[in-house]
């Protein structure tokens, strides 16, 4: 993200997502519900969309898409 110039947008991302994945890179369902994780990511994307475009609608549909395709 930093190399793309987006580092400032995601300053708190690592802290908010800490513990979401295990050392093996697999989502840690025993630490965080997947639906809550996806909701947090959508909120982060909406904040970026507001800053970049002045409108969070660019992130609309993210949560529904992810849960439909990966939520089981």
């Amino acid at each position: 993200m930093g190399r793309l110039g987006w580092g400032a947008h995601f300053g708190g991302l690592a802290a908010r997502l800490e513990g979401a994945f295990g050392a093996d890179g697999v989502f840690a369902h025993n630490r965080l519900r997947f639906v809550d994780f996806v909701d947090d990511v959508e909120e982060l994307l909406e904040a970026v969309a507001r800053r970049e475009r002045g409108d969070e609608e660019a992130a609309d549909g993210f949560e529904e898409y992810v849960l439909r395709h990966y939520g089981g």
Side-chain angles (χ1 to χ4, degrees):
M1 298 282 178
R3 289 188 306 229
L4 294 172
W6 296 355
H9 297 298
F10 297 98
L13 180 63
R16 288 185 68 181
L17 302 180
E18 175 132 9
F21 295 91
D24 58 1
V26 175
F27 184 78
H29 293 275
N30 61 328
R31 294 185 210 148
L32 179 68
R33 291 180 353 156
F34 185 69
V35 70
D36 293 335
F37 169 76
V38 173
D39 186 52
D40 286 347
V41 172
E42 182 179 51
E43 287 178 20
L44 291 167
L45 292 174
E46 287 172 347
V48 170
R50 272 193 304 275
R51 282 193 292 259
E52 291 295 310
R53 297 180 176 214
D55 185 3
E56 65 185 41
E57 288 185 22
D60 278 355
F62 171 81
E63 185 174 7
E64 291 83 10
Y65 176 85
V66 171
L67 292 176
R68 189 175 328 115
H69 288 87
Y70 304 105

